[in-house]
Amino acid sequence: MQSLTALCSSGSFFPLSPNLHNSKQPIRSVYSLKKHEKSNSKYTDSRPYCTMGKQSKTSLSDAWPTISLSLFGSGFFLGPLIDGIHSRVNLVTYQNGSIDIGPLHTNIWVPPLLGLFYCTVGLLQLFLDEKFSPKAPEGSLEKTASSLIAVVVFIEVSAEMYKAGVADNIEGYILFAAAEFIWLFLDGSRQGFALACILGLGCPLAEILIMKLFHLWYYPQANIILFGQGLVTWTITCYFAYTPFLINFSRWLKSVTASATADGSDRSD
């Protein structure tokens, strides 16, 4: 027993060497390393985040050349076909530059004018969406097709009533109600309604200016005279009904352009 006590007191069994105190040093080193890594984690944080929302948004300033070309081309080729529904029943008679392509009666200046009409209204709508309605709905092919069918049916009905000799005021009431119905179910926004009203009033005035300066067409059975040129009053509703189609068409073109741009970026990456 005395020998065991001597052995313990001599430190040979439990050595009181400096290594015993230094054994805590690795623990402090590991703790310091973890603390250092934690302090630097804010610089090396690589949490994943989603960028799909940003990729799907395309600024009008970047996409307007493609969209404007598509709008102009659509107005150039599709516009005269729709306009030909009215010229078929002699609502409009063309003068300087008139041409006949089969059953289509038109004017050589009508395609570029309607291309400019499509392009101007479409880009204006996209500009208003970007500046004042950032949460505006994206365009869809289904809504665009429905709007196109609606405006073609509207123009056809107006032409048939004109051909049947329906009184202008009666036809005007019917067409105004139908135009309101088209706006309500295919757009329904106050901004779209305001744009439709502007087009409904402004485009006939632009027609008067074109007829007065260039004598490209006239209305043989006009029921109102403005600035020496005759108009049919219910044509206001035709421009009103045209507006939802141009709104949905331009939005759909922007969506297609955005998708094509995102796909191109993915392939390049």
Side-chain angles (χ1 to χ4, degrees):
M1 185 67 179
Q2 292 178 355
S3 61
L4 179 60
T5 303
L7 178 63
C8 293
S9 62
S10 65
S12 60
F13 188 76
F14 295 104
L16 299 176
S17 63
N19 292 334
L20 181 61
H21 302 282
N22 293 338
S23 63
K24 296 181 179 180
Q25 184 64 29
I27 299 177
R28 286 196 294 266
S29 300
V30 172
Y31 175 77
S32 300
L33 179 60
K34 290 183 177 180
K35 185 176 181 181
H36 179 70
E37 290 177 352
K38 184 177 180 181
S39 63
N40 290 337
S41 62
K42 60 182 181 180
Y43 301 106
T44 60
D45 189 10
S46 58
R47 298 175 184 174
Y49 60 96
C50 180
T51 59
M52 292 301 294
K54 294 181 179 179
Q55 291 178 357
S56 62
K57 294 291 184 180
T58 299
S59 175
L60 182 60
S61 60
D62 299 328
W64 76 266
T66 303
I67 297 175
S68 60
L69 183 62
S70 300
L71 287 169
F72 184 86
S74 300
F76 190 93
F77 292 104
L78 179 62
L81 298 178
I82 299 176
D83 181 71
I85 298 175
H86 276 166
S87 61
R88 176 174 53 84
V89 296
N90 295 320
L91 174 66
V92 179
T93 300
Y94 291 104
Q95 296 175 288
N96 297 336
S98 62
I99 56 173
D100 294 333
I101 305 175
L104 178 63
H105 307 291
T106 187
N107 189 289
I108 59 174
W109 291 104
V110 167
L113 286 173
L114 288 175
L116 184 63
F117 171 65
Y118 275 48
C119 185
T120 302
V121 177
L123 291 179
L124 176 60
Q125 178 60 47
L126 295 180
F127 174 80
L128 293 176
D129 284 346
E130 192 170 277
K131 295 298 182 182
F132 304 105
S133 302
K135 295 183 180 180
E138 293 186 359
S140 65
L141 181 59
E142 293 78 8
K143 205 167 187 179
T144 301
S146 299
S147 303
L148 176 60
I149 294 172
V151 72
V152 170
V153 171
F154 183 92
I155 298 297
E156 181 65 36
V157 169
S158 67
E160 290 301 322
M161 286 195 293
Y162 176 82
K163 183 180 179 181
V166 177
D168 292 330
N169 60 336
I170 301 300
E171 183 170 359
Y173 295 146
I174 295 173
L175 294 179
F176 183 78
E180 292 283 340
F181 180 86
I182 291 174
W183 164 77
L184 181 62
F185 286 94
L186 295 176
D187 180 61
S189 66
R190 289 178 294 179
Q191 179 178 293
F193 183 84
L195 182 60
C197 291
I198 292 172
L199 293 180
L201 296 175
C203 290
L205 294 177
E207 279 197 58
I208 291 175
L209 182 63
I210 293 173
M211 289 188 293
K212 192 173 186 66
L213 295 179
F214 304 105
H215 307 287
L216 299 181
W217 64 80
Y218 69 97
Y219 291 87
Q221 297 186 27
N223 60 0
I224 187 174
I225 304 296
L226 294 175
F227 305 106
Q229 299 296 320
L231 281 176
V232 176
T233 52
W234 53 258
T235 55
I236 293 176
T237 63
C238 297
Y239 289 106
F240 190 100
Y242 226 121
T243 307
F245 164 64
L246 294 177
I247 291 175
N248 293 319
F249 184 44
S250 59
R251 286 174 175 169
W252 176 67
L253 286 176
K254 186 179 181 181
S255 300
V256 172
T257 304
S259 299
T261 302
D263 291 341
S265 300
D266 293 340
R267 291 193 185 97
S268 62
D269 293 341

